[in-house]
Amino acid sequence: MAKKTVATLQTQSKRLSKAIKMVKSPKTGAYVFVEAIMTPEQVDEFLKKK
């Protein structure tokens, strides 16, 4: 089960997106949130990675 959230951020020079995904921790089994700010083209690749 993974929750995916993408927010769009705009700066003066670049358009950026903040992607948040929920992943299961291999050590504890608890879910943790992983956040990253990147260009919109990189979001799909980030969400597909484990």
Side-chain angles (χ1 to χ4, degrees), residues 8-42:
T8 303
L9 308 171
Q10 284 188 327
T11 62
Q12 292 177 354
S13 61
K14 292 185 181 179
R15 184 171 175 194
L16 301 173
S17 295
K18 180 177 182 181
I20 304 169
K21 70 178 176 178
M22 188 171 74
V23 294
K24 193 170 187 176
S25 172
K27 291 181 181 178
T28 63
Y31 286 96
V32 295
F33 291 97
V34 178
E35 299 181 15
I37 296 177
M38 63 199 75
T39 62
E41 294 80 27
Q42 297 173 325

